[in-house]
Amino acid sequence: MTLLIQNIAHGWVGDAAGTRVAGALRIKDGVIADMGDLVPRPGEEVLDATGCVVTPGLVNTHHHLFQSVLKGLAIDAALDVWLQEVPYSFWPRISEETLRVSARIGLAELALSGATTVCDHHYVFSERYDYDPADVLFEEAARFGIRFVLARGGMTQGRDFGPGTPPPPIESLRGFLDRTAATAARWHDPSDNAMTRVACAPTTPNFNFVPEALPEIAAEARHLGLRLHAHLSENEGYAAQTLASFGQRPVPWLASKDWLGPDVWFAHLVDLTPDEVTMLAETGTAMAHCPQANARLGSGIAPAPALYAKGGTVSLAVDGAGANEAAHMGGAMYAAFALHRAALGVAGSQVGKIIHWATQGGAQTLGLPKVGTLAPGMAADIALFDLSAPQNLGLHDTALAPVITGSATVRHSLVAGRFVVRDGQIPHLEMPRLAADAARTTANLAQFAKDLEPA
Ligand code: ZN
């Protein structure tokens, strides 16, 4: 069975040079078999790309799907108060059913905005749960047919958010490591075009573990072939804390714990010195750049262009919808495009570079070398952005649309040659039912929040 995508007039390879594509693309056995001036073969299925911009499927390298039912809370709070009032207040209420509904909302938004690979950093694992969040997330991703990396988070100590906040979801170090290993045994596929992967992802190393645990975690993860992920330097509070507690800024401190390298990526990295940027670039440690969440929480603008200019790896991410209600890949691309220009002038970003960060850069970050590039031999993960909505009309350079309109959605998307979105719809998903499930779940959580309020 082969599929020919023809009449491609506008598209991007996803490479660092910002190379454009046009013509046709043949998919065989889940892989891009050929590209160029191709004509349909007898009996071949044909997909018409007329009126679309074609890109590699987008890669979202940092998310928290459990937050898709926690939107619009603590809207004027900065990071610390937001953490207290949103994830660390609501986590005991994330039942299996709530997590499923939340994951479906997030995955639907991501799929319709062109994501074909999603990394979810799930960090609430507790012995109080009667279900395994890892299994739930992999099952929901499989229903969408989306490529899924679980960054298995967790913590052995919580931050003290004061009275009224539930105790944090902590595990013993051994429990964290053993459960991560068990999840990896079940779901981690090390192959270059894996549909499921596991990374070892302590929630926030400087707050959630004793320093002595970090080299042990890195060694065990590497022994299992797992990449390392965590939150880092989301705002200036991180450096203040590591300087006060450990006498170093976050990046050199983690370097001393074996926590830098080409198998490591961090979310945010907003507050970095030039020396820290250099250390990240020289070690190949990648950034999951979350421009919208950093803006929403008032944390700042991460120096992604500086890291990239020094040869570092940059990827794009929406972060959890609790801190970025616009958890849409088009929004993330537009935010990166616009914010770096606001900070640095028009040289601060280019459309081709943003596409690269959202595709090949994401694949490099997650260690999926067969993903994120339109070229023969690569996995057939492809997004066809629909240009029929009014925000796309009137464009003189149509290929710019997915980045500069900030709101493009896909007509079709494929993962390994299989449709995730077809004709603007997610085939298995009944949207009115999801809306009803979301309304019921949100109402239950709102009642819980009301019950918490002092009388
Ligand atoms: Zn995050």
Side-chain angles (χ1 to χ4, degrees), residues 11-21 56 308 350-357 359-361 364 372-373 400:
W12 300 87
V13 167
D15 59 6
T19 308
R20 309 261 186 128
V21 288
Y308 188 72
Q350 296 80 42
V351 171
K353 187 159 80 181
I354 301 295
I355 294 274
H356 172 64
W357 290 356
T359 57
Q360 205 177 75
Q364 286 167 357
T373 308
L400 306 179

Side-chain angles (χ1 to χ4, degrees), residues 206 232-233 238-240 242-243 248-255 271 276:
N206 48 311
L232 198 69
S233 298
Y238 283 61
T242 59
L243 279 165
Q248 283 178 294
R249 286 187 58 90
V251 173
W253 175 68
L254 279 178
D271 177 37
E276 288 184 302

Side-chain angles (χ1 to χ4, degrees), residues 326-345:
H328 179 286
M329 288 301 286
M333 290 195 292
Y334 182 73
F337 173 75
L339 287 170
H340 294 302
R341 288 188 169 205
L344 302 168

Side-chain angles (χ1 to χ4, degrees), residues 209-228:
F209 288 81
V210 294
E212 303 75 50
L214 297 174
E216 184 182 346
I217 291 169
E220 287 217 18
R222 288 181 172 126
H223 178 70
L224 294 170
L226 307 184
R227 297 173 93 81
L228 294 164

Side-chain angles (χ1 to χ4, degrees), residues 62-64 67 82 121 123 203 229 231 234 267-268 290 293 319-320 323:
H62 181 79
H63 202 50
H64 308 289
Q67 294 178 11
W82 177 86
H121 187 190
Y123 55 81
T203 307
H229 178 54
H231 293 103
E234 184 166 351
H268 306 303
C290 308
D319 202 6

Side-chain angles (χ1 to χ4, degrees), residues 298-437:
S299 299
I301 302 174
L307 177 62
Y308 188 72
K310 286 186 174 172
T313 302
V314 176
S315 62
L316 272 185
V318 298
D319 202 6
N324 172 27
E325 286 77 359
H328 179 286
M329 288 301 286
M333 290 195 292
Y334 182 73
F337 173 75
L339 287 170
H340 294 302
R341 288 188 169 205
L344 302 168
V346 289
S349 70
Q350 296 80 42
V351 171
K353 187 159 80 181
I354 301 295
I355 294 274
H356 172 64
W357 290 356
T359 57
Q360 205 177 75
Q364 286 167 357
T365 295
L366 299 178
L368 290 166
K370 291 291 183 187
V371 170
T373 308
L374 294 186
M378 301 296 286
D381 291 16
I382 301 168
L384 289 86
F385 287 92
D386 189 298
L387 301 179
S388 60
Q391 66 268 32
N392 303 301
L393 306 180
L395 281 163
H396 287 253
D397 184 352
T398 305
L400 306 179
V403 174
I404 66 170
T405 68
S407 58
T409 55
V410 292
R411 184 183 302 168
H412 310 292
S413 73
L414 303 113
V415 171
R418 291 184 292 270
F419 283 93
V420 171
V421 177
R422 187 162 203 161
D423 296 318
Q425 306 290 321
I426 297 166
H428 77 273
L429 197 68
E430 288 177 50
M431 210 56 88
R433 183 168 164 199
L434 180 62
D437 289 346

